[in-house]
Amino acid sequence: MYKIFIKRILDIIIALAIIILLFPLFLIVYILVKIDSPGKFFFFQERLGYKGKIFKIFKVRTMYDKERVADREILKGDTEVTKIGYYLRRFKIDELPQIINVFKGDMSLVGPRPCLPKQLLEFNEDGKKRIQVIPGLTGLAQVNGNIHLSWEERWKYDREYVENQSFLLDTQIILKTFLILFNGEDKYIKHPDV
């Protein structure tokens, strides 16, 4: 009941509330991004969704609008990241527009992070499980180290989430996400049990 119906209702209600409440923040971020560097405000990228459906994810642009090396992890101190982009990334503000994806139903508040479509060919058995649920803004892998983990470790956490999805687990992930926003991902690295 929770996975099929209640989770989606909660996603719609919470996403709408966040859009309304954070609208002033979006305006401030829009102004700061435009002052910091020329280019578009939004950055769109194709991602792999539920059952392999491809959709466009919304993000705030945090990098200079120029040719860049595609599909690589962006780590602290990356020279392609703008000044304001560093802070938007650090506090995950660049991900906030994905609340629109949640409202539309492409994403959920909690679930495996949507990956690039090309990764479908790289999935091991754990990775294949992740597209059996709607991807999320935050997930079990994100609250246990995220980019500090290998893809195989992230997929292991994704599988664990898919197999144990519940209201309680979603609540725990959301609460831990707030801790990470304040303290940083590197403080919560936990490699999955092999």
Side-chain angles (χ1 to χ4, degrees), residues 155-188:
W155 297 337
K156 194 169 203 49
Y157 275 123
D158 292 338
R159 181 178 190 149
E160 183 180 334
Y161 176 79
V162 170
E163 293 174 350
N164 298 289
Q165 191 178 171
S166 68
F167 177 75
L168 180 61
L169 181 58
D170 283 1
T171 303
Q172 290 171 338
I173 291 169
I174 288 170
L175 292 175
K176 195 168 177 186
T177 298
F178 282 108
L179 289 174
I180 287 167
L181 290 176
F182 293 109
N183 300 321
E185 288 176 340
D186 56 331
K187 309 280 188 301
Y188 297 92

Side-chain angles (χ1 to χ4, degrees), residues 97-116:
Q98 288 164 39
I99 205 71
I100 298 166
N101 292 111
V102 172
F103 189 74
K104 287 174 56 185
D106 297 325
M107 293 175 66
S108 180
L109 292 172
V110 180
R113 285 293 295 155
C115 63
L116 296 167

Side-chain angles (χ1 to χ4, degrees), residues 120-132:
L120 183 60
L121 301 173
E122 302 167 8
F123 285 163
N124 59 19
E125 287 307 307
D126 293 333
K128 289 175 186 171
K129 283 278 190 181
R130 69 192 323 269
I131 59 173
Q132 292 180 4

Side-chain angles (χ1 to χ4, degrees), residues 35-48:
I35 289 171
D36 188 41
S37 66
K40 296 176 183 173
F41 176 68
F42 282 120
F43 169 72
F44 299 98
Q45 191 175 50
E46 287 189 343
R47 294 294 177 103
L48 198 60

Side-chain angles (χ1 to χ4, degrees), residues 14-27 29-30 41-43 57-62 87-89 91-103 107-109 113 136-138 177-178 181:
I14 295 169
L16 187 58
I18 290 171
I19 290 168
I20 292 167
L21 290 172
L22 295 185
F23 186 73
L25 175 65
F26 284 127
L27 285 177
V29 170
Y30 177 83
F41 176 68
F42 282 120
F43 169 72
I57 202 170
F58 290 79
K59 292 181 95 169
V60 175
R61 181 181 58 82
T62 59
Y87 295 100
L88 296 178
R89 283 176 169 274
F91 295 104
K92 306 292 185 193
I93 296 169
D94 64 318
E95 308 279 354
L96 274 180
Q98 288 164 39
I99 205 71
I100 298 166
N101 292 111
V102 172
F103 189 74
M107 293 175 66
S108 180
L109 292 172
R113 285 293 295 155
L137 284 177
T138 187
T177 298
F178 282 108
L181 290 176

